[in-house]
PDB file of all heavy atoms in Angstrom:
ATOM      1  N   LYS B 288      -8.370  23.529 -61.986  1.00 94.00           N
ATOM      2  CA  LYS B 288      -7.073  23.046 -61.653  1.00 94.00           C
ATOM      3  C   LYS B 288      -6.104  24.235 -61.600  1.00 94.00           C
ATOM      4  O   LYS B 288      -5.167  24.317 -60.763  1.00 94.00           O
ATOM      5  CB  LYS B 288      -6.624  21.965 -62.602  1.00 94.00           C
ATOM      6  CG  LYS B 288      -7.486  20.580 -62.215  1.00 94.00           C
ATOM      7  CD  LYS B 288      -7.110  19.526 -63.171  1.00 94.00           C
ATOM      8  CE  LYS B 288      -7.720  18.291 -62.817  1.00 94.00           C
ATOM      9  NZ  LYS B 288      -7.476  17.125 -63.764  1.00 94.00           N
ATOM     10  N   LYS B 289      -6.144  25.106 -62.624  1.00 93.00           N
ATOM     11  CA  LYS B 289      -5.149  26.125 -62.738  1.00 93.00           C
ATOM     12  C   LYS B 289      -5.265  27.026 -61.418  1.00 93.00           C
ATOM     13  O   LYS B 289      -4.358  27.541 -60.918  1.00 93.00           O
ATOM     14  CB  LYS B 289      -5.463  26.997 -63.939  1.00 93.00           C
ATOM     15  CG  LYS B 289      -4.368  27.930 -64.382  1.00 93.00           C
ATOM     16  CD  LYS B 289      -4.701  28.640 -65.713  1.00 93.00           C
ATOM     17  CE  LYS B 289      -3.964  29.953 -65.860  1.00 93.00           C
ATOM     18  NZ  LYS B 289      -4.524  30.903 -66.848  1.00 93.00           N
ATOM     19  N   GLU B 290      -6.619  27.348 -61.088  1.00 94.00           N
ATOM     20  CA  GLU B 290      -6.688  28.314 -60.045  1.00 94.00           C
ATOM     21  C   GLU B 290      -6.357  27.727 -58.688  1.00 94.00           C
ATOM     22  O   GLU B 290      -5.685  28.225 -57.922  1.00 94.00           O
ATOM     23  CB  GLU B 290      -8.224  28.682 -59.981  1.00 94.00           C
ATOM     24  CG  GLU B 290      -8.569  29.730 -58.934  1.00 94.00           C
ATOM     25  CD  GLU B 290      -8.195  31.181 -59.428  1.00 94.00           C
ATOM     26  OE1 GLU B 290      -7.731  31.400 -60.482  1.00 94.00           O
ATOM     27  OE2 GLU B 290      -8.418  32.143 -58.519  1.00 94.00           O
ATOM     28  N   ALA B 291      -6.696  26.442 -58.436  1.00 94.00           N
ATOM     29  CA  ALA B 291      -6.239  25.719 -57.289  1.00 94.00           C
ATOM     30  C   ALA B 291      -4.819  25.645 -57.082  1.00 94.00           C
ATOM     31  O   ALA B 291      -4.320  25.850 -56.068  1.00 94.00           O
ATOM     32  CB  ALA B 291      -6.946  24.222 -57.268  1.00 94.00           C
ATOM     33  N   PHE B 292      -4.141  25.294 -58.240  1.00 91.00           N
ATOM     34  CA  PHE B 292      -2.725  25.306 -58.199  1.00 91.00           C
ATOM     35  C   PHE B 292      -2.054  26.720 -57.910  1.00 91.00           C
ATOM     36  O   PHE B 292      -1.277  26.734 -56.914  1.00 91.00           O
ATOM     37  CB  PHE B 292      -2.180  24.828 -59.545  1.00 91.00           C
ATOM     38  CG  PHE B 292      -0.762  24.437 -59.492  1.00 91.00           C
ATOM     39  CD1 PHE B 292      -0.287  23.383 -58.778  1.00 91.00           C
ATOM     40  CD2 PHE B 292       0.185  25.047 -60.314  1.00 91.00           C
ATOM     41  CE1 PHE B 292       1.142  23.122 -58.677  1.00 91.00           C
ATOM     42  CE2 PHE B 292       1.523  24.718 -60.504  1.00 91.00           C
ATOM     43  CZ  PHE B 292       1.999  23.781 -59.579  1.00 91.00           C
ATOM     44  N   ALA B 293      -2.598  27.743 -58.429  1.00 91.00           N
ATOM     45  CA  ALA B 293      -2.028  29.073 -58.311  1.00 91.00           C
ATOM     46  C   ALA B 293      -2.293  29.586 -56.914  1.00 91.00           C
ATOM     47  O   ALA B 293      -1.598  30.450 -56.442  1.00 91.00           O
ATOM     48  CB  ALA B 293      -2.520  30.011 -59.360  1.00 91.00           C
ATOM     49  N   ARG B 294      -3.409  29.280 -56.302  1.00 92.00           N
ATOM     50  CA  ARG B 294      -3.799  29.923 -55.065  1.00 92.00           C
ATOM     51  C   ARG B 294      -3.486  29.087 -53.796  1.00 92.00           C
ATOM     52  O   ARG B 294      -3.762  29.473 -52.770  1.00 92.00           O
ATOM     53  CB  ARG B 294      -5.382  29.894 -55.077  1.00 92.00           C
ATOM     54  CG  ARG B 294      -5.887  30.910 -56.273  1.00 92.00           C
ATOM     55  CD  ARG B 294      -5.698  32.370 -55.858  1.00 92.00           C
ATOM     56  NE  ARG B 294      -6.463  33.207 -56.705  1.00 92.00           N
ATOM     57  CZ  ARG B 294      -6.556  34.470 -56.637  1.00 92.00           C
ATOM     58  NH1 ARG B 294      -5.745  35.134 -55.798  1.00 92.00           N
ATOM     59  NH2 ARG B 294      -7.285  35.254 -57.416  1.00 92.00           N
ATOM     60  N   SER B 295      -2.814  27.904 -53.939  1.00 88.00           N
ATOM     61  CA  SER B 295      -2.548  27.139 -52.731  1.00 88.00           C
ATOM     62  C   SER B 295      -1.165  27.125 -52.330  1.00 88.00           C
ATOM     63  O   SER B 295      -0.228  26.747 -53.081  1.00 88.00           O
ATOM     64  CB  SER B 295      -2.961  25.721 -52.900  1.00 88.00           C
ATOM     65  OG  SER B 295      -2.400  25.154 -54.072  1.00 88.00           O
ATOM     66  N   TYR B 296      -0.909  27.736 -51.202  1.00 71.00           N
ATOM     67  CA  TYR B 296       0.360  28.167 -50.710  1.00 71.00           C
ATOM     68  C   TYR B 296       1.135  26.711 -50.448  1.00 71.00           C
ATOM     69  O   TYR B 296       2.224  26.473 -50.974  1.00 71.00           O
ATOM     70  CB  TYR B 296       0.268  28.933 -49.419  1.00 71.00           C
ATOM     71  CG  TYR B 296       1.425  29.033 -48.563  1.00 71.00           C
ATOM     72  CD1 TYR B 296       2.645  29.475 -48.993  1.00 71.00           C
ATOM     73  CD2 TYR B 296       1.428  28.530 -47.263  1.00 71.00           C
ATOM     74  CE1 TYR B 296       3.731  29.597 -48.154  1.00 71.00           C
ATOM     75  CE2 TYR B 296       2.372  28.677 -46.408  1.00 71.00           C
ATOM     76  CZ  TYR B 296       3.594  29.159 -46.975  1.00 71.00           C
ATOM     77  OH  TYR B 296       4.666  29.186 -46.048  1.00 71.00           O
ATOM     78  N   VAL B 297       0.475  25.855 -49.628  1.00 64.00           N
ATOM     79  CA  VAL B 297       1.233  24.716 -49.115  1.00 64.00           C
ATOM     80  C   VAL B 297       1.427  23.729 -50.232  1.00 64.00           C
ATOM     81  O   VAL B 297       2.442  22.946 -50.091  1.00 64.00           O
ATOM     82  CB  VAL B 297       0.524  23.965 -47.902  1.00 64.00           C
ATOM     83  CG1 VAL B 297       0.758  24.864 -46.758  1.00 64.00           C
ATOM     84  CG2 VAL B 297      -0.951  23.780 -48.223  1.00 64.00           C
ATOM     85  N   TYR B 298       0.639  23.603 -51.224  1.00 60.00           N
ATOM     86  CA  TYR B 298       0.722  22.512 -52.211  1.00 60.00           C
ATOM     87  C   TYR B 298       1.429  23.064 -53.489  1.00 60.00           C
ATOM     88  O   TYR B 298       1.368  22.467 -54.500  1.00 60.00           O
ATOM     89  CB  TYR B 298      -0.754  22.141 -52.666  1.00 60.00           C
ATOM     90  CG  TYR B 298      -1.176  21.002 -52.007  1.00 60.00           C
ATOM     91  CD1 TYR B 298      -1.978  21.104 -50.776  1.00 60.00           C
ATOM     92  CD2 TYR B 298      -0.803  19.705 -52.472  1.00 60.00           C
ATOM     93  CE1 TYR B 298      -2.467  19.884 -50.163  1.00 60.00           C
ATOM     94  CE2 TYR B 298      -1.166  18.592 -51.741  1.00 60.00           C
ATOM     95  CZ  TYR B 298      -2.004  18.617 -50.743  1.00 60.00           C
ATOM     96  OH  TYR B 298      -2.426  17.465 -50.064  1.00 60.00           O
ATOM     97  N   ARG B 299       2.054  24.299 -53.306  1.00 59.00           N
ATOM     98  CA  ARG B 299       2.489  24.835 -54.574  1.00 59.00           C
ATOM     99  C   ARG B 299       3.438  24.003 -55.369  1.00 59.00           C
ATOM    100  O   ARG B 299       3.324  23.831 -56.607  1.00 59.00           O
ATOM    101  CB  ARG B 299       3.279  26.332 -54.261  1.00 59.00           C
ATOM    102  CG  ARG B 299       3.376  27.068 -55.490  1.00 59.00           C
ATOM    103  CD  ARG B 299       4.065  28.454 -55.159  1.00 59.00           C
ATOM    104  NE  ARG B 299       3.998  28.838 -53.742  1.00 59.00           N
ATOM    105  CZ  ARG B 299       4.854  29.281 -53.061  1.00 59.00           C
ATOM    106  NH1 ARG B 299       6.095  29.414 -53.499  1.00 59.00           N
ATOM    107  NH2 ARG B 299       4.658  29.611 -51.749  1.00 59.00           N
ATOM    108  N   ALA B 300       4.231  23.272 -54.711  1.00 50.00           N
ATOM    109  CA  ALA B 300       5.312  22.424 -55.390  1.00 50.00           C
ATOM    110  C   ALA B 300       4.675  21.017 -55.955  1.00 50.00           C
ATOM    111  O   ALA B 300       5.397  20.307 -56.492  1.00 50.00           O
ATOM    112  CB  ALA B 300       6.286  22.180 -54.416  1.00 50.00           C
ATOM    113  N   GLU B 301       3.427  20.690 -55.646  1.00 64.00           N
ATOM    114  CA  GLU B 301       2.926  19.493 -55.940  1.00 64.00           C
ATOM    115  C   GLU B 301       1.643  19.669 -56.838  1.00 64.00           C
ATOM    116  O   GLU B 301       0.905  20.684 -56.727  1.00 64.00           O
ATOM    117  CB  GLU B 301       2.538  18.678 -54.669  1.00 64.00           C
ATOM    118  CG  GLU B 301       3.681  18.468 -53.819  1.00 64.00           C
ATOM    119  CD  GLU B 301       3.304  17.585 -52.548  1.00 64.00           C
ATOM    120  OE1 GLU B 301       2.440  16.686 -52.637  1.00 64.00           O
ATOM    121  OE2 GLU B 301       3.981  17.869 -51.513  1.00 64.00           O
ATOM    122  N   ARG B 302       1.239  18.612 -57.426  1.00 71.00           N
ATOM    123  CA  ARG B 302      -0.105  18.742 -58.131  1.00 71.00           C
ATOM    124  C   ARG B 302      -1.209  18.347 -57.154  1.00 71.00           C
ATOM    125  O   ARG B 302      -1.081  17.347 -56.429  1.00 71.00           O
ATOM    126  CB  ARG B 302      -0.069  17.712 -59.371  1.00 71.00           C
ATOM    127  CG  ARG B 302       0.832  18.159 -60.397  1.00 71.00           C
ATOM    128  CD  ARG B 302       0.647  17.335 -61.736  1.00 71.00           C
ATOM    129  NE  ARG B 302      -0.679  17.715 -62.323  1.00 71.00           N
ATOM    130  CZ  ARG B 302      -0.778  18.894 -63.056  1.00 71.00           C
ATOM    131  NH1 ARG B 302       0.165  19.686 -63.290  1.00 71.00           N
ATOM    132  NH2 ARG B 302      -1.899  19.113 -63.598  1.00 71.00           N
ATOM    133  N   LEU B 303      -2.140  19.144 -57.174  1.00 81.00           N
ATOM    134  CA  LEU B 303      -3.331  18.923 -56.320  1.00 81.00           C
ATOM    135  C   LEU B 303      -4.196  17.820 -57.004  1.00 81.00           C
ATOM    136  O   LEU B 303      -4.739  17.914 -58.085  1.00 81.00           O
ATOM    137  CB  LEU B 303      -4.193  20.099 -56.144  1.00 81.00           C
ATOM    138  CG  LEU B 303      -4.093  20.973 -54.914  1.00 81.00           C
ATOM    139  CD1 LEU B 303      -4.786  22.213 -55.103  1.00 81.00           C
ATOM    140  CD2 LEU B 303      -4.508  20.185 -53.692  1.00 81.00           C
ATOM    141  N   PRO B 304      -4.505  16.714 -56.355  1.00 91.00           N
ATOM    142  CA  PRO B 304      -5.326  15.654 -56.985  1.00 91.00           C
ATOM    143  C   PRO B 304      -6.861  16.101 -56.837  1.00 91.00           C
ATOM    144  O   PRO B 304      -7.395  16.021 -55.770  1.00 91.00           O
ATOM    145  CB  PRO B 304      -5.024  14.391 -56.295  1.00 91.00           C
ATOM    146  CG  PRO B 304      -4.264  14.859 -55.106  1.00 91.00           C
ATOM    147  CD  PRO B 304      -4.094  16.289 -55.014  1.00 91.00           C
ATOM    148  N   ILE B 305      -7.412  16.596 -57.911  1.00 94.00           N
ATOM    149  CA  ILE B 305      -8.713  16.903 -57.994  1.00 94.00           C
ATOM    150  C   ILE B 305      -9.418  15.933 -59.120  1.00 94.00           C
ATOM    151  O   ILE B 305      -9.080  15.988 -60.302  1.00 94.00           O
ATOM    152  CB  ILE B 305      -9.133  18.355 -58.535  1.00 94.00           C
ATOM    153  CG1 ILE B 305      -8.149  19.299 -57.640  1.00 94.00           C
ATOM    154  CG2 ILE B 305     -10.613  18.717 -58.161  1.00 94.00           C
ATOM    155  CD1 ILE B 305      -8.444  20.821 -58.076  1.00 94.00           C
ATOM    156  N   VAL B 306     -10.298  15.062 -58.693  1.00 96.00           N
ATOM    157  CA  VAL B 306     -10.808  14.025 -59.517  1.00 96.00           C
ATOM    158  C   VAL B 306     -12.199  13.870 -59.584  1.00 96.00           C
ATOM    159  O   VAL B 306     -12.973  14.491 -58.742  1.00 96.00           O
ATOM    160  CB  VAL B 306     -10.079  12.675 -59.208  1.00 96.00           C
ATOM    161  CG1 VAL B 306      -8.620  12.636 -59.196  1.00 96.00           C
ATOM    162  CG2 VAL B 306     -10.699  12.216 -57.758  1.00 96.00           C
TER     163      VAL B 306
END
Side-chain angles (χ1 to χ4, degrees):
Chain B
K288 289 181 176 179
K289 193 177 161 201
E290 187 79 2
F292 190 63
R294 298 286 196 176
S295 55
Y296 163 62
V297 288
Y298 264 96
R299 198 177 334 137
E301 301 183 30
R302 290 192 72 77
L303 260 172
I305 317 178
V306 300

